Amino acid sequence: MNAAKPPLRLVFLGPPGAGKGTQAKVLEERLGLRQISTGDILRRNVAEGSELGRKAKPYMESGGLVPDDLIIEMMEAELAKDDAFLLDGFPRTVAQARALDAALLRLGKPLTAAVLIDASRPELVRRLTGRWTNPRTGRSYHDEFNPPKTAKIDDEDGGPLVQRPDDTPAVVNERLATYDEKTAPLIEYYRKAGSLVRVDGLGKIADVTSALLRTIGAEKGAPA
Ligand code: AP5
Ligand code: MG
């Protein structure tokens, strides 16, 4: 009785705008899982002007992917830090997924599940072009679907919200095409590995959270 549950180690898979970051923040608060967002780490590096940031910037601005070797090196250090985690935006290519499998095997930290969150294309575009982001924490809001209490100000830390430079319609289209070509094959990769679960990302944010918690069997870990 009351045997401790094994640590949750999740991958969030899904197109830009599906709600990966939004749901990751909720699970971080409710379940104490650390969100490891490659997009947020890269944007911090771009803002700081680090070598990684300088190399990553042109790929991010054009809606392409940052080269696998840079991402894999960055993530190996992150994976060693915690026992439980939620990977948001990684892996994004089959090479990254293989590197993740190898790293987790080496660390003795098997993956719990790869969670695919998806929504229709018109909805993804609407979400991204109306998004406002806190560049310090990565928290996202939306003009219409999830507005902050005060326009352009974060509810949590009171700091300014910005529009991501890659949330313009032209770059959003490129990001969606990149997803179809490079990342969507991971759905089959994780289905074959037996770790794929799906959550419909089209409902209200709170309803998606409920479905997510049910799907990963974590309802009881969530305070009301
Ligand atoms: P990244 O930051 O990961 O961007 P992304 O995958 O394009 O995903 P988004 O952050 O745009 O979408 P999301 O699913 O998190 O949506 P959110 O929850 O914010 O990557 C950026 C770039 O970095 C990449 O293009 C690439 O260049 C590079 N990169 C990153 N990782 C890499 C890797 N592993 N390899 C190589 N390159 C990499 O929600 C979106 C909006 O919708 C918000 O406004 C939100 O409020 C709203 N919303 C959320 N849920 C709902 C809902 N249920 N109903 C209504 N509105 C909702
Ligand atoms: Mg995100």
Side-chain angles (χ1 to χ4, degrees), residues 108-194:
K109 297 178 179 178
L111 199 65
T112 311
V115 185
L116 173 64
I117 308 176
D118 207 349
S120 67
R121 286 297 146 114
E123 176 73 9
L124 296 174
V125 173
R126 251 195 318 273
R127 287 183 186 181
L128 293 171
T129 50
R131 170 164 65 180
W132 288 84
T133 304
N134 180 332
R136 298 161 300 285
T137 64
R139 182 177 294 276
S140 291
Y141 295 84
H142 191 280
D143 276 341
E144 192 185 336
F145 306 134
N146 184 24
K149 293 191 182 103
T150 308
K152 302 181 196 176
I153 299 292
D154 189 87
D155 292 350
E156 305 248 308
D157 70 5
L161 300 173
V162 299
Q163 287 193 292
R164 269 173 46 180
D166 59 347
D167 278 348
T168 58
V171 185
V172 164
N173 278 335
E174 268 315 304
R175 286 161 61 201
L176 289 168
T178 300
Y179 173 81
D180 288 340
E181 186 195 340
K182 305 266 176 62
T183 308
L186 292 184
I187 299 170
E188 184 57 14
Y189 181 94
Y190 283 113
R191 194 192 61 74
K192 276 195 187 147

Side-chain angles (χ1 to χ4, degrees), residues 23-39:
Q23 297 299 333
K25 292 281 181 219
V26 178
L27 261 57
E28 195 168 51
E29 280 156 22
R30 296 223 194 161
L31 306 177
L33 279 182
R34 185 164 80 98
Q35 173 202 22
I36 308 178
S37 159
T38 41

